[in-house]
């Protein structure tokens, strides 16, 4: 069974992706552990977590109120007040109180606790439990609520300025992906103001209201955030081909941005072409092993906007055959329909809706991919999903852009070589 993050994780990681914001988790300590470790690992920041500050208990991220059975019976607003005071002492620009699923049932008055600490305008409470939502949906919804709270005013549209939406701390090697994609935008003379949920500060989020366009990486990750920006007059640019996964979709993403913004895509397209050429030369030099890829079966599962271009690229570029293709809940309907149509067109309709099966290559979240490879159920298990954080990668190995294409090709070639 595939192990996917839930909406609670998506909501927490969305806020933790704001560089000077802090989540206060109202719930038991056990609900904190995974999130505090993950956030620290993928987006390390110093300056918080004095071991003598209550509610942090020596760890700098996602402090919790450590509710116990007494609190669930009698209420725990007092812990909310104390916890907010402790978190405020570390001086974040924004504090977001998020309830664990159990704590959400108590109905503690966090707004009263915020007022008691004099934090009105600096602290907010997410009033709904998102645990049952897909992590992608919860991420976009949380960021939209944050934008509602900070209420930036669109003063004057900045020509040539954009925001990058749909990146998350849950994306494998998100920093490397951001560097590459921002580089493509800057190559076209565009200025990137903010990437909400992927390293930007509160001030940058405020400034993001003046952008001319929002450029979308993964639509599922930012659907409600896109609608929020459209409400203040900032239109979104989405690639018809889906997220920039593989050479073809990366080129399509660049062209979509260039067409919408009126910019020249020559420079970033040249970078992609040069990467393609280097791969061609490599494959030509190891012709025997490269030929062993042709006809190799693969399974892919994950976000529809990622799985679609990935599937099309592996089929067209490497002549690999889809055996099982599944998209996660909360899928972008257009991308899911396009993927299903593609499978029908190539005679692989049997693959649609199937979870990963034993085959040549498996591409999905890291736990499942590693498990199937260790069980000799595939030649290569390649992490591309939301439990695939790349925590032990030194060389950049994201999923998006040219670096993502090289990473996936590298893993496939190693699997073929070692089999």
């Amino acid at each position: 069974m595939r192990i996917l993050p839930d909406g609670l994780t998506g909501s927490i990681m969305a806020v933790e992706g704001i560089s000077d914001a802090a989540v206060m988790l109202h719930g038991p300590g056990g609900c904190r552990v995974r999130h505090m470790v993950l956030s620290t690992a993928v987006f390390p920041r110093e300056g918080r977590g004095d071991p003598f500050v209550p509610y942090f208990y020596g760890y700098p991220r996602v402090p919790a109120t450590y509710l116990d059975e007494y609190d669930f019976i009698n209420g725990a607003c007092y812990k909310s007040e104390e916890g907010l005071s402790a978190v405020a002492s570390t001086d974040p620009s924004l504090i977001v109180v998020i309830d664990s699923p159990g704590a959400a049932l108590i109905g503690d008055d966090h707004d009263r606790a915020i007022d008691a600490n004099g934090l009105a305008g600096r602290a907010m409470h997410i009033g709904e439990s998102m645990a049952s939502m897909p992590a992608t949906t919860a991420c976009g919804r949380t960021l939209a609520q944050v934008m509602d709270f900070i209420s930036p005013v669109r003063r004057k549209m900045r020509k040539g300025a954009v925001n990058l939406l749909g990146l998350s701390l849950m994306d494998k090697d998100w920093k490397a992906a951001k560097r590459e994609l921002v580089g493509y935008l800057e190559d076209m003379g565009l200025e990137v103001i903010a990437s909400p949920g992927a390293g930007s500060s509160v001030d940058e989020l405020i400034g993001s209201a003046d952008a001319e366009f929002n450029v979308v990486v993964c639509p599922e990750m930012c659907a409600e955030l896109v609608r929020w920006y459209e409400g203040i007059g900032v239109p979104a640019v989405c690639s018809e081909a889906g997220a920039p996964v593989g050479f073809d979709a990366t080129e399509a993403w660049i062209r979509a941005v260039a067409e919408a913004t009126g910019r020249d895509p020559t420079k970033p397209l040249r970078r992609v072409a040069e990467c393609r050429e280097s791969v061609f030369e490599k494959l030509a030099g190891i012709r025997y092993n490269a030929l062993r890829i042709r006809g190799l079966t693969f399974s892919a599962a994950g976000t529809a906007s990622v799985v679609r271009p990935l599937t099309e690229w592996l089929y067209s570029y490497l002549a690999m055959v889809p055996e099982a293709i599944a998209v996660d809940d909360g899928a972008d309907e257009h991308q899911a329909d396009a993927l299903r149509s593609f499978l029908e067109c190539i005679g692989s309709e049997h693959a649609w809706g199937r979870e990963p099966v034993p085959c040549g290559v498996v591409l999905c979240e890291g736990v499942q991919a590693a498990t199937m490879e260790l069980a000799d159920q595939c030649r290569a298990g390649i992490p591309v999903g939301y439990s695939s954080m790349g925590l032990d990668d030194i060389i950049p190995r994201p999923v998006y852009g040219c670096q993502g294409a090289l990473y996936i090709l590298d893993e496939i070639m190693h699997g073929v070589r070692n089999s």
Side-chain angles (χ1 to χ4, degrees):
M1 180 181 294
R2 296 170 58 216
I3 300 174
L4 300 175
D6 62 12
L8 177 64
T9 298
S11 184
I12 290 173
M13 297 304 284
V15 178
E16 285 293 293
I18 302 170
S19 63
D20 53 350
V23 168
M24 186 182 83
L25 179 62
H26 189 55
C31 294
R32 177 194 184 200
V33 175
R34 179 172 182 268
H35 300 105
M36 72 182 191
V37 172
L38 178 58
S39 176
T40 303
V42 299
F43 191 18
R45 286 179 275 167
E46 301 298 329
R48 296 189 193 145
D50 186 324
F52 299 105
V53 175
Y55 299 99
F56 281 92
Y57 296 113
Y59 218 92
R61 304 291 280 279
V62 194
T65 50
Y66 289 85
L67 302 188
D68 54 28
E69 61 274 16
Y70 176 89
D71 300 315
F72 280 100
I73 296 169
N74 297 286
C77 194
Y78 73 102
K79 282 191 173 178
S80 180
E81 289 187 22
E82 292 175 359
L84 280 165
S85 176
V87 177
S89 72
T90 65
D91 202 30
S93 298
L94 174 68
I95 302 170
V96 180
V97 181
I98 296 177
D99 292 312
S100 72
L105 300 175
I106 305 174
D108 286 321
D109 190 347
H110 296 295
D111 290 333
R112 188 181 74 180
I114 288 169
D115 289 340
N117 279 282
L119 294 172
R122 185 179 160 203
M124 63 176 287
H125 170 227
I126 299 289
E128 63 177 319
S129 177
M130 300 187 188
S132 61
M133 297 179 190
T136 51
T137 303
C139 182
R141 180 171 295 188
T142 298
L143 289 172
Q145 291 187 22
V146 167
M147 296 302 291
D148 256 340
F149 178 77
I150 63 177
S151 300
V153 177
R154 186 167 170 80
R155 298 161 297 184
K156 181 180 180 181
M157 185 266 285
R158 291 166 56 181
K159 187 73 174 175
V162 301
N163 301 314
L164 191 66
L165 307 188
L167 271 178
S168 160
L169 302 193
M170 294 181 289
D171 285 312
K172 185 177 184 301
D173 212 342
W174 66 273
K175 284 186 179 180
K178 179 180 174 180
R179 282 194 297 270
E180 180 174 345
L181 298 179
V182 168
Y184 291 150
L185 298 175
E186 291 177 344
D187 283 346
M188 290 186 277
L190 296 168
E191 173 196 359
V192 179
I193 299 175
S195 53
S200 290
S201 67
V202 171
D203 280 346
E204 287 170 331
L205 297 186
I206 292 171
S208 71
D210 295 335
E212 183 180 10
F213 294 99
N214 287 318
V215 178
V216 173
V217 179
C218 179
E220 288 90 343
M221 189 63 71
C222 59
E224 294 200 29
L225 185 61
V226 165
R227 288 193 287 272
W228 187 92
Y229 277 108
E230 287 175 341
I232 63 167
V234 185
V237 179
C238 292
S239 170
E240 169 66 25
V245 178
F247 296 133
D248 295 341
T250 299
E251 289 177 340
W253 187 83
I254 292 169
R255 289 194 175 96
V257 174
E259 182 178 353
T261 60
R263 300 288 167 149
D264 182 3
T266 302
K267 188 173 180 180
L269 288 177
R270 184 185 303 122
R271 288 173 58 185
V272 179
E274 290 170 353
C275 188
R276 275 183 184 268
E277 180 64 24
S278 68
V279 170
F280 175 80
E281 291 177 356
K282 185 68 175 180
L283 295 179
I286 53 172
R287 182 175 177 81
Y288 173 70
N289 272 342
L291 288 173
R292 294 173 67 190
I293 298 175
R294 296 177 64 89
L296 197 65
T297 57
F298 70 94
S299 296
T303 307
S305 297
V306 171
V307 174
R308 178 201 169 188
L310 176 63
T311 299
E312 294 178 354
W313 181 59
L314 294 179
Y315 177 82
S316 63
Y317 187 74
L318 295 178
M320 295 176 65
V321 180
E323 188 67 26
I325 304 296
V327 299
D328 296 338
D329 290 342
D332 180 272
E333 291 184 5
H334 172 72
Q335 294 298 324
D337 289 344
L339 174 56
R340 185 172 188 172
S341 297
F342 173 76
L343 293 172
E344 291 172 351
C345 287
I346 64 173
S348 294
E349 58 269 18
H350 68 279
W352 175 252
R354 299 180 70 194
E355 294 292 319
V357 297
C359 58
V361 175
V362 172
L363 306 101
C364 60
E365 72 285 345
V367 173
Q368 179 77 2
T371 299
M372 293 186 71
E373 183 173 343
L374 289 170
D376 292 326
Q377 294 180 338
C378 59
R379 297 186 186 184
I382 305 177
V384 296
Y386 293 128
S387 64
S388 313
M389 305 304 172
L391 301 184
D392 54 356
D393 289 339
I394 302 300
I395 297 174
R397 297 165 80 79
V399 175
Y400 298 129
C402 282
Q403 287 186 101
L406 295 178
Y407 156 61
I408 292 167
L409 289 170
D410 214 37
E411 292 295 305
I412 292 173
M413 289 305 303
H414 290 168
V416 169
R417 181 194 65 192
N418 295 331
S419 61

